[in-house]
Amino acid sequence: MKKVGIISLYYNSKNYGGLLQAYALNKYISELGYDSELISYKRENIKPLYLPPQQTKMQKLVKMGIAEVVWRVYSKIVTRFFAKRYSERLNSRTEKVSEFREKSIRHSKVYTEETISECKKEYDIFISGSDQIWKPGVVDDGYVFNFLNARDHKIVFSYASSVSVSNLPGVYIQYMKKALAKYSAVSLREEATVEQFKRCIFENTKHVLDPTLLVDRESWHELAGKRRINGKYIFCYMLGDDRNQRKQIKEFAKKKGLKLVTLPHIVNSSVFQFKTQDWHFGDVQLYDIGIPEFLSLIQHAEIVVTDSFHAGVFSYVFHKEFYLLERPTSNPEDVMNVRIYDLVKLYGTPDRVVSVNENLVTKTVNPIDYSIVDKNVLTMQKSSREFLSSALKN
């Protein structure tokens, strides 16, 4: 039996979506008959390949305006005051997520930048997995297996790796073109970056589904935990910090006559600590939520409101009414929102995105016909599964 090593942002992750995609890819490959596991890659001395020019503090202050500066100062004071009060509750969330990561996702021993080459002898097949491992500023030699060469006779490819920028920097193109020369196949998660890769880096780059959509729906129903909330409710999972969006969501829940259930205090997608924007946001605020509980909250909701790509994925999996909110951004190269537009394009439900210029409360949408959505996803699922099966066999 061939052994597969998948590299992703798995190590020490507390990101719900990141862990779910790692779990899904490993599960699906294992079901195909391979001995598969995540490579636990711990990076300590991160040397970004490329970062866009950074604004000075003065430039940021001028752009923010007085009102925003006052809010930032106020927010810092409140955050410091409440940090210890909320730490125990947020630690319980960390423990739940960490337990799933360690017990439910098969993984290797820990490798570092200095020792990652040692895993060469452990695997027959190396996969650069999904998540933003190929983003400029994140990608490094480990995420493209630069310790391998043609003489090693290993199968090397990527499945749904994410780049997450709209324009590829020249230094990045040069680095990736050389690094991917040993890859037998390359696939990306965002359709928007596939064409750039084809032109500049790897001619036969494919667009494939996120791994969470490779797995059969029944598996997610089995993994979901027990129902946590009695009665009808809106589940809101917000990773961005926009206060106006939260105001609209509260008004929306009131208009619908539903309880608003939130998973508050998540910073940078995977850090659990108090943040002022989520203070008193939600009729029910939940803390001790692991991966099964996260799925259950979506599974039993009447409506899901989110700015998270993976919450949008599981809204489909459980056939829920959902709204995907754009995240406001000042960076023109940030394609965080491209992911959700790719998703609703796949579903055939473009009206389910709420842009930064729209109001959730007054937005009109068409009912979701999941018989049509299922057909759209199944077509893409078939081609993605075929790509993965072919790449594994080289």
Side-chain angles (χ1 to χ4, degrees):
M1 182 184 292
K2 289 186 176 181
K3 190 168 184 181
V4 178
I6 305 167
I7 202 158
S8 185
L9 301 180
Y10 163 81
Y11 177 76
N12 207 30
S13 172
K14 295 181 284 292
N15 182 292
Y16 291 99
L19 289 176
L20 282 163
Q21 64 82 19
Y23 170 87
L25 185 56
N26 191 61
K27 175 180 172 62
Y28 187 74
I29 291 173
S30 297
E31 289 173 349
L32 290 177
Y34 295 85
D35 181 9
S36 179
E37 68 182 17
L38 271 294
I39 299 172
S40 295
Y41 180 40
K42 178 184 179 183
R43 298 198 300 167
E44 294 175 328
N45 303 308
I46 301 172
K47 306 176 188 68
L49 177 65
Y50 168 85
L51 286 175
Q54 302 295 306
Q55 291 180 322
T56 65
K57 286 186 178 180
M58 183 56 68
Q59 287 173 324
K60 289 180 181 179
L61 288 172
V62 170
K63 196 167 186 177
M64 279 192 283
I66 295 174
E68 184 63 21
V69 171
V70 171
W71 162 258
R72 296 281 180 103
V73 173
Y74 165 77
S75 181
K76 283 187 177 182
I77 294 170
V78 173
T79 299
R80 286 179 182 176
F81 183 78
F82 282 102
K84 288 186 178 180
R85 293 191 184 189
Y86 279 80
S87 62
E88 187 174 335
R89 279 174 278 183
L90 292 169
N91 285 341
S92 70
R93 185 186 294 168
T94 298
E95 290 169 6
K96 284 254 189 178
V97 173
S98 299
E99 181 181 13
F100 177 87
R101 183 186 66 233
E102 295 303 315
K103 293 184 178 180
S104 299
I105 304 177
R106 190 179 173 208
H107 56 276
S108 71
K109 70 177 185 179
V110 177
Y111 294 98
T112 65
E113 292 164 285
E114 289 72 31
T115 63
I116 186 67
S117 62
E118 294 174 9
C119 74
K120 180 191 297 189
K121 62 181 180 293
E122 297 294 326
Y123 306 104
D124 306 294
I125 302 171
F126 290 81
I127 303 176
S128 295
S130 190
D131 222 336
Q132 298 180 60
I133 60 170
W134 283 2
K135 182 177 181 177
V138 175
V139 68
D140 72 358
D141 289 351
Y143 291 135
V144 289
F145 305 119
N146 270 352
F147 53 85
L148 295 174
N149 57 56
R151 294 189 301 276
D152 294 315
H153 302 291
K154 305 288 185 179
I155 296 175
V156 188
F157 68 94
S158 73
Y159 184 83
S161 295
S162 176
V163 178
S164 295
V165 294
S166 56
N167 293 300
L168 303 178
V171 64
Y172 174 87
I173 291 171
Q174 293 171 14
Y175 175 85
M176 292 298 284
K177 196 167 186 177
K178 182 178 179 181
L180 300 190
K182 61 182 169 294
Y183 279 59
S184 58
V186 170
S187 64
L188 302 179
R189 187 173 65 184
E190 285 84 36
E191 188 177 15
T193 48
V194 168
E195 290 305 317
Q196 294 182 71
F197 252 63
K198 282 182 177 180
R199 289 195 309 271
C200 306
I201 297 173
F202 197 94
E203 185 177 0
N204 200 29
T205 301
K206 301 293 185 183
H207 175 222
V208 294
L209 287 179
D210 184 84
T212 50
L213 289 169
L214 288 177
V215 176
D216 289 330
R217 180 177 285 114
E218 291 72 21
S219 297
W220 296 123
H221 280 278
E222 290 172 7
L223 182 59
K226 294 180 180 179
R227 184 175 182 130
R228 290 292 300 262
I229 305 296
N230 294 323
K232 296 181 178 182
Y233 63 91
I234 292 174
F235 176 55
C236 179
Y237 179 59
M238 293 292 287
L239 300 177
D241 298 331
D242 193 77
R243 304 191 302 280
N244 183 53
Q245 287 181 332
R246 283 163 171 75
K247 181 182 177 183
Q248 289 181 24
I249 293 165
K250 286 194 274 189
E251 292 175 4
F252 180 73
K254 186 177 180 180
K255 178 182 176 181
K256 294 289 185 179
L258 295 170
K259 277 189 294 191
L260 179 59
V261 177
T262 64
L263 201 57
H265 308 309
I266 301 176
V267 181
N268 295 329
S269 300
S270 59
V271 177
F272 304 147
Q273 67 183 41
F274 179 87
K275 68 178 182 182
T276 317
Q277 292 90 339
D278 284 336
W279 194 23
H280 301 310
F281 176 57
D283 301 309
V284 179
Q285 293 188 318
L286 297 173
Y287 295 92
D288 59 334
I289 301 298
I291 298 294
E293 293 84 4
F294 175 76
L295 293 175
S296 174
L297 288 167
I298 296 174
Q299 181 184 34
H300 295 289
E302 292 296 307
I303 303 171
V304 177
V305 179
T306 185
D307 61 359
S308 158
F309 170 83
H310 281 105
V313 168
F314 287 101
S315 295
Y316 157 72
V317 168
F318 297 120
H319 281 189
K320 294 296 166 182
E321 182 180 352
F322 68 89
Y323 294 84
L324 281 167
L325 278 61
E326 277 190 347
R327 290 191 211 171
T329 177
S330 58
N331 182 2
E333 292 192 352
D334 187 352
V335 293
M336 183 67 69
N337 292 316
V338 168
R339 295 187 296 172
I340 64 173
Y341 278 102
D342 273 0
L343 198 60
V344 294
K345 181 181 178 182
L346 170 68
Y347 295 165
T349 59
D351 59 335
R352 290 288 162 166
V353 173
V354 184
S355 72
V356 292
N357 298 317
E358 291 182 293
N359 189 317
L360 172 64
V361 182
T362 57
K363 184 176 175 66
T364 57
V365 295
N366 297 314
I368 300 174
D369 185 341
Y370 271 112
S371 64
I372 296 175
V373 179
D374 282 338
K375 289 179 182 178
N376 295 338
V377 175
L378 285 172
T379 299
M380 187 69 177
Q381 184 186 69
K382 181 182 177 182
S383 65
S384 298
R385 286 176 171 179
E386 288 173 350
F387 169 86
L388 183 54
S389 179
S390 176
L392 285 163
K393 295 172 184 175
N394 198 25

Coordinates of all heavy atoms in Angstrom, one line a residue, residues 1-63:
M1 N 0.8 -1.2 0.0 CA 0.0 0.0 0.0 C 0.9 1.3 0.0 O 1.8 1.4 0.8 CB -0.9 0.0 1.2 CG -1.9 1.2 1.3 SD -2.8 1.2 2.8 CE -3.9 -0.2 2.6
K2 N 0.6 2.1 -1.0 CA 1.4 3.4 -1.0 C 1.1 4.3 0.1 O -0.1 4.5 0.5 CB 1.3 4.0 -2.4 CG 1.9 3.3 -3.5 CD 1.8 4.1 -4.8 CE 2.6 3.3 -5.9 NZ 2.5 4.1 -7.2
K3 N 2.1 5.0 0.6 CA 1.9 5.9 1.7 C 1.9 7.4 1.2 O 2.8 7.8 0.4 CB 2.9 5.8 2.8 CG 2.6 6.5 4.1 CD 3.5 6.1 5.2 CE 3.1 6.9 6.5 NZ 4.0 6.5 7.6
V4 N 0.9 8.1 1.6 CA 0.7 9.5 1.2 C 0.9 10.5 2.3 O 0.4 10.3 3.4 CB -0.7 9.7 0.6 CG1 -1.0 11.1 0.2 CG2 -1.0 8.7 -0.5
G5 N 1.7 11.5 2.0 CA 1.9 12.6 3.0 C 1.3 13.9 2.4 O 1.7 14.3 1.3
I6 N 0.4 14.5 3.2 CA -0.3 15.7 2.8 C 0.2 16.9 3.6 O 0.2 16.8 4.8 CB -1.8 15.6 3.0 CG1 -2.4 14.4 2.2 CG2 -2.5 16.9 2.5 CD1 -3.8 14.1 2.7
I7 N 0.7 17.9 2.9 CA 1.1 19.1 3.7 C 0.1 20.2 3.6 O -0.4 20.5 2.5 CB 2.5 19.6 3.3 CG1 3.2 20.4 4.4 CG2 2.5 20.3 2.0 CD1 4.7 20.4 4.3
S8 N -0.2 20.8 4.7 CA -1.2 21.9 4.7 C -0.9 22.8 5.9 O 0.1 22.7 6.5 CB -2.6 21.2 4.8 OG -3.6 22.2 4.7
L9 N -1.9 23.6 6.3 CA -1.7 24.5 7.5 C -2.3 23.7 8.7 O -3.0 24.3 9.5 CB -2.4 25.8 7.3 CG -1.9 26.7 6.1 CD1 -2.7 28.0 6.0 CD2 -0.4 26.9 6.2
Y10 N -2.0 22.4 8.7 CA -2.6 21.6 9.8 C -2.0 21.8 11.1 O -2.7 21.9 12.1 CB -2.4 20.1 9.4 CG -2.6 19.2 10.5 CD1 -3.9 18.8 10.9 CD2 -1.5 18.7 11.2 CE1 -4.0 17.9 12.0 CE2 -1.7 17.8 12.3 CZ -2.9 17.4 12.7 OH -3.1 16.6 13.8
Y11 N -0.7 21.9 11.2 CA 0.0 21.9 12.5 C -0.5 23.0 13.4 O -0.5 24.2 13.1 CB 1.6 22.1 12.3 CG 2.3 22.2 13.6 CD1 2.5 21.1 14.4 CD2 2.7 23.4 14.2 CE1 3.1 21.1 15.6 CE2 3.3 23.5 15.4 CZ 3.5 22.3 16.1 OH 4.1 22.4 17.4
N12 N -1.0 22.6 14.6 CA -1.5 23.5 15.7 C -2.6 24.4 15.2 O -2.9 25.4 15.9 CB -0.3 24.3 16.2 CG -0.5 24.7 17.7 OD1 -1.2 24.0 18.4 ND2 0.0 25.9 18.0
S13 N -3.3 24.1 14.2 CA -4.4 24.9 13.7 C -5.6 24.8 14.6 O -5.9 23.8 15.1 CB -4.8 24.5 12.2 OG -5.9 25.2 11.8
K14 N -6.3 26.0 14.7 CA -7.5 26.1 15.4 C -8.6 26.6 14.5 O -9.6 27.1 15.0 CB -7.4 26.9 16.7 CG -6.4 26.3 17.7 CD -6.3 27.1 19.0 CE -5.5 28.3 18.8 NZ -4.0 28.0 18.5
N15 N -8.4 26.6 13.2 CA -9.3 27.1 12.2 C -10.3 26.0 11.8 O -9.9 24.9 11.3 CB -8.5 27.6 11.0 CG -9.4 28.2 9.9 OD1 -10.2 27.5 9.3 ND2 -9.2 29.5 9.7
Y16 N -11.6 26.3 12.0 CA -12.6 25.2 11.8 C -12.5 24.8 10.3 O -12.5 23.6 10.0 CB -14.0 25.8 12.1 CG -14.3 26.0 13.5 CD1 -14.2 27.3 14.1 CD2 -14.7 25.0 14.4 CE1 -14.4 27.5 15.4 CE2 -14.9 25.2 15.7 CZ -14.8 26.5 16.2 OH -15.1 26.7 17.6
G17 N -12.5 25.7 9.4 CA -12.5 25.4 8.0 C -11.2 24.7 7.6 O -11.2 23.7 6.8
G18 N -10.1 25.1 8.1 CA -8.8 24.6 7.7 C -8.7 23.1 8.2 O -8.2 22.2 7.5
L19 N -9.2 22.8 9.4 CA -9.2 21.5 9.9 C -10.2 20.6 9.2 O -9.9 19.4 8.9 CB -9.4 21.5 11.4 CG -8.3 22.0 12.3 CD1 -8.7 22.1 13.7 CD2 -7.0 21.2 12.1
L20 N -11.3 21.1 8.8 CA -12.3 20.3 8.1 C -11.8 19.9 6.7 O -12.0 18.8 6.3 CB -13.6 21.1 8.0 CG -14.5 21.0 9.3 CD1 -15.5 22.1 9.3 CD2 -15.1 19.7 9.5
Q21 N -11.1 20.8 6.0 CA -10.6 20.4 4.7 C -9.4 19.4 4.8 O -9.3 18.5 4.0 CB -10.2 21.7 3.9 CG -9.1 22.5 4.4 CD -7.7 22.0 4.1 OE1 -7.5 21.2 3.2 NE2 -6.7 22.4 4.9
A22 N -8.6 19.6 5.9 CA -7.5 18.6 6.1 C -8.1 17.2 6.4 O -7.7 16.2 5.9 CB -6.7 19.1 7.3
Y23 N -9.1 17.2 7.3 CA -9.8 15.9 7.6 C -10.4 15.3 6.3 O -10.3 14.1 6.1 CB -10.9 16.3 8.6 CG -11.9 15.1 8.9 CD1 -11.6 14.2 9.9 CD2 -13.1 15.0 8.2 CE1 -12.5 13.1 10.1 CE2 -14.0 14.0 8.4 CZ -13.7 13.0 9.4 OH -14.5 12.0 9.7
A24 N -11.1 16.1 5.5 CA -11.8 15.6 4.3 C -10.8 15.0 3.3 O -11.1 13.9 2.8 CB -12.6 16.7 3.7
L25 N -9.7 15.7 3.0 CA -8.8 15.2 2.0 C -8.1 13.9 2.4 O -8.0 13.0 1.7 CB -7.7 16.3 1.7 CG -6.7 16.0 0.5 CD1 -7.5 15.7 -0.7 CD2 -5.7 17.1 0.3
N26 N -7.7 13.9 3.7 CA -7.1 12.7 4.2 C -8.1 11.5 4.2 O -7.8 10.4 3.9 CB -6.6 12.9 5.7 CG -5.7 11.8 6.1 OD1 -4.7 11.5 5.6 ND2 -6.2 11.1 7.2
K27 N -9.3 11.8 4.6 CA -10.4 10.8 4.7 C -10.7 10.2 3.3 O -10.7 9.0 3.1 CB -11.7 11.4 5.3 CG -12.9 10.4 5.2 CD -14.1 11.1 5.9 CE -15.4 10.2 5.7 NZ -15.3 8.9 6.4
Y28 N -10.8 11.1 2.3 CA -11.1 10.6 1.0 C -10.0 9.8 0.3 O -10.3 8.8 -0.3 CB -11.5 11.8 0.0 CG -12.0 11.4 -1.3 CD1 -13.3 10.9 -1.4 CD2 -11.2 11.4 -2.4 CE1 -13.8 10.5 -2.7 CE2 -11.6 11.0 -3.7 CZ -12.9 10.5 -3.8 OH -13.4 10.1 -5.0
I29 N -8.8 10.3 0.5 CA -7.6 9.5 0.0 C -7.5 8.2 0.6 O -7.2 7.1 0.0 CB -6.4 10.3 0.1 CG1 -6.4 11.5 -0.9 CG2 -5.1 9.5 -0.2 CD1 -5.3 12.5 -0.7
S30 N -7.8 8.1 1.9 CA -7.7 6.9 2.7 C -8.8 5.9 2.2 O -8.5 4.7 2.0 CB -7.9 7.1 4.2 OG -6.9 7.9 4.7
E31 N -9.9 6.4 1.8 CA -11.0 5.6 1.3 C -10.7 5.0 -0.1 O -11.3 4.0 -0.5 CB -12.3 6.4 1.3 CG -12.9 6.6 2.7 CD -14.1 7.6 2.7 OE1 -14.4 8.2 1.6 OE2 -14.8 7.7 3.7
L32 N -9.8 5.7 -0.8 CA -9.4 5.2 -2.1 C -8.4 4.0 -2.0 O -7.9 3.5 -3.0 CB -8.7 6.3 -2.9 CG -9.7 7.4 -3.4 CD1 -8.9 8.5 -4.1 CD2 -10.8 6.9 -4.3
G33 N -7.9 3.7 -0.7 CA -7.1 2.6 -0.5 C -5.6 2.9 -0.2 O -4.7 2.1 -0.3
Y34 N -5.3 4.2 0.1 CA -4.0 4.6 0.4 C -3.7 4.8 1.9 O -4.7 5.1 2.6 CB -3.6 6.0 -0.3 CG -3.7 5.9 -1.8 CD1 -4.9 6.0 -2.5 CD2 -2.5 5.6 -2.5 CE1 -4.9 5.9 -3.9 CE2 -2.5 5.5 -3.9 CZ -3.7 5.6 -4.6 OH -3.7 5.5 -6.0
D35 N -2.5 4.6 2.3 CA -2.1 4.9 3.7 C -1.8 6.4 3.8 O -0.7 6.8 3.5 CB -0.9 4.0 4.0 CG -0.5 4.2 5.5 OD1 -1.2 4.8 6.3 OD2 0.6 3.7 5.8
S36 N -2.7 7.2 4.3 CA -2.6 8.6 4.2 C -2.5 9.3 5.5 O -3.2 8.9 6.5 CB -3.8 9.2 3.4 OG -3.7 10.6 3.2
E37 N -1.8 10.4 5.6 CA -1.7 11.2 6.8 C -1.3 12.6 6.5 O -0.7 12.9 5.5 CB -0.8 10.6 7.9 CG 0.7 10.6 7.5 CD 1.5 9.9 8.5 OE1 1.0 9.2 9.4 OE2 2.8 10.1 8.5
L38 N -1.6 13.6 7.4 CA -1.1 14.9 7.3 C 0.3 15.0 7.9 O 0.7 14.4 8.8 CB -2.0 15.9 8.2 CG -3.2 16.5 7.5 CD1 -2.8 17.5 6.4 CD2 -4.1 15.4 7.0
I39 N 1.1 15.8 7.2 CA 2.5 16.1 7.6 C 2.5 17.2 8.6 O 2.0 18.3 8.2 CB 3.4 16.4 6.5 CG1 3.5 15.2 5.5 CG2 4.8 16.7 7.0 CD1 4.3 15.5 4.2
S40 N 2.9 17.0 9.9 CA 2.8 18.1 10.9 C 4.1 18.9 10.7 O 5.2 18.6 11.1 CB 2.8 17.5 12.3 OG 1.7 16.7 12.5
Y41 N 3.9 20.1 10.0 CA 5.0 20.9 9.7 C 5.0 22.2 10.5 O 4.1 23.0 10.4 CB 4.9 21.3 8.2 CG 6.0 22.2 7.6 CD1 7.3 22.1 8.0 CD2 5.7 23.2 6.7 CE1 8.3 22.9 7.5 CE2 6.6 24.0 6.2 CZ 7.9 23.8 6.6 OH 8.9 24.7 6.1
K42 N 5.9 22.3 11.4 CA 6.0 23.4 12.3 C 7.0 24.4 11.8 O 8.2 24.1 11.8 CB 6.4 23.0 13.7 CG 6.6 24.1 14.8 CD 7.1 23.5 16.1 CE 7.3 24.6 17.1 NZ 7.8 24.0 18.4
R43 N 6.6 25.6 11.5 CA 7.5 26.7 11.0 C 7.8 27.6 12.1 O 6.9 28.1 12.8 CB 6.9 27.4 9.8 CG 6.6 26.5 8.6 CD 6.4 27.3 7.4 NE 5.3 28.3 7.5 CZ 5.1 29.3 6.6 NH1 5.9 29.5 5.6 NH2 4.0 30.0 6.8
E44 N 9.0 27.9 12.3 CA 9.4 28.8 13.4 C 10.0 30.1 12.9 O 9.8 31.2 13.4 CB 10.4 28.1 14.4 CG 9.7 26.9 15.1 CD 10.7 26.2 16.0 OE1 11.9 26.1 15.5 OE2 10.3 25.6 17.0
N45 N 10.9 30.0 11.9 CA 11.5 31.2 11.4 C 11.0 31.5 10.0 O 11.6 31.2 9.0 CB 13.1 31.0 11.3 CG 13.6 30.6 12.7 OD1 13.4 31.4 13.6 ND2 14.3 29.5 12.8
I46 N 9.8 32.0 9.9 CA 9.1 32.3 8.7 C 9.8 33.4 7.9 O 10.0 34.5 8.4 CB 7.6 32.6 8.9 CG1 6.9 31.4 9.6 CG2 6.9 32.8 7.6 CD1 5.5 31.7 10.0
K47 N 10.2 33.1 6.7 CA 10.8 34.1 5.8 C 9.9 34.3 4.6 O 10.0 33.5 3.6 CB 12.2 33.6 5.4 CG 13.1 33.3 6.5 CD 14.4 32.7 6.0 CE 15.3 32.2 7.1 NZ 14.7 31.0 7.7
P48 N 9.0 35.3 4.6 CA 8.1 35.5 3.5 C 8.8 35.6 2.2 O 9.7 36.4 2.1 CB 7.3 36.7 3.9 CG 7.5 36.9 5.4 CD 8.9 36.3 5.7
L49 N 8.3 34.9 1.2 CA 8.8 35.1 -0.2 C 8.5 36.4 -0.7 O 9.3 37.0 -1.4 CB 8.2 34.0 -1.1 CG 8.6 34.0 -2.5 CD1 10.1 33.7 -2.7 CD2 7.8 33.0 -3.3
Y50 N 7.3 36.9 -0.4 CA 6.9 38.2 -0.9 C 5.8 38.8 -0.1 O 4.9 38.0 0.3 CB 6.4 38.1 -2.4 CG 5.7 39.4 -2.9 CD1 6.4 40.4 -3.4 CD2 4.3 39.5 -2.8 CE1 5.8 41.6 -3.8 CE2 3.7 40.6 -3.2 CZ 4.4 41.7 -3.7 OH 3.8 42.8 -4.1
L51 N 5.8 40.0 0.3 CA 4.8 40.7 0.9 C 4.5 42.0 0.2 O 5.5 42.7 -0.2 CB 5.1 41.0 2.4 CG 5.0 39.8 3.3 CD1 5.5 40.2 4.7 CD2 3.6 39.2 3.4
P52 N 3.3 42.4 0.0 CA 3.0 43.7 -0.7 C 3.5 44.9 0.2 O 3.7 44.7 1.4 CB 1.5 43.7 -0.8 CG 1.0 42.8 0.2 CD 2.0 41.7 0.4
P53 N 3.8 46.0 -0.4 CA 4.2 47.2 0.3 C 3.3 47.5 1.5 O 2.1 47.5 1.3 CB 4.2 48.3 -0.7 CG 4.3 47.6 -2.0 CD 3.6 46.3 -1.9
Q54 N 3.9 47.8 2.6 CA 3.1 48.0 3.8 C 2.9 49.5 4.0 O 3.8 50.3 3.8 CB 3.7 47.4 5.1 CG 3.9 45.9 5.0 CD 2.6 45.2 4.9 OE1 1.7 45.3 5.7 NE2 2.4 44.3 3.9
Q55 N 1.7 50.0 4.5 CA 1.5 51.4 4.8 C 2.2 51.7 6.1 O 2.3 50.9 7.0 CB 0.0 51.6 4.9 CG -0.8 51.6 3.6 CD -2.3 51.8 3.9 OE1 -2.8 51.5 4.8 NE2 -2.9 52.6 2.9
T56 N 2.6 53.0 6.2 CA 3.2 53.4 7.5 C 2.0 53.7 8.5 O 0.9 53.7 8.1 CB 4.0 54.7 7.3 OG1 3.0 55.8 6.9 CG2 5.1 54.6 6.2
K57 N 2.4 53.8 9.7 CA 1.4 54.0 10.8 C 0.6 55.3 10.5 O -0.6 55.5 10.7 CB 2.0 54.1 12.2 CG 2.4 52.7 12.7 CD 2.9 52.8 14.1 CE 3.2 51.4 14.7 NZ 3.7 51.5 16.1
M58 N 1.4 56.4 10.0 CA 0.8 57.7 9.7 C -0.2 57.5 8.6 O -1.3 58.1 8.6 CB 1.8 58.7 9.4 CG 1.3 60.1 9.2 SD 0.3 60.7 10.6 CE 1.5 60.9 11.8
Q59 N 0.2 56.8 7.5 CA -0.7 56.6 6.4 C -2.0 55.9 6.8 O -3.1 56.2 6.4 CB 0.0 55.8 5.3 CG 1.1 56.6 4.6 CD 1.9 55.7 3.6 OE1 2.1 54.5 3.9 NE2 2.2 56.2 2.5
K60 N -1.9 54.9 7.7 CA -3.0 54.2 8.2 C -4.0 55.1 9.0 O -5.2 55.0 8.8 CB -2.6 53.0 9.0 CG -2.0 51.9 8.3 CD -1.6 50.7 9.2 CE -0.9 49.6 8.4 NZ -0.5 48.5 9.3
L61 N -3.4 55.9 9.8 CA -4.2 56.8 10.7 C -4.9 57.8 9.8 O -6.1 58.1 10.0 CB -3.3 57.6 11.7 CG -2.7 56.7 12.8 CD1 -1.7 57.5 13.6 CD2 -3.8 56.3 13.7
V62 N -4.3 58.4 8.8 CA -4.9 59.3 7.9 C -6.1 58.7 7.1 O -7.2 59.3 7.0 CB -3.9 59.9 6.9 CG1 -4.6 60.8 5.8 CG2 -2.9 60.8 7.6
K63 N -5.9 57.5 6.7 CA -6.9 56.8 5.9 C -8.1 56.4 6.8 O -9.2 56.4 6.4 CB -6.3 55.5 5.3 CG -7.1 54.9 4.2 CD -6.3 53.9 3.4 CE -7.1 53.4 2.2 NZ -6.4 52.4 1.4

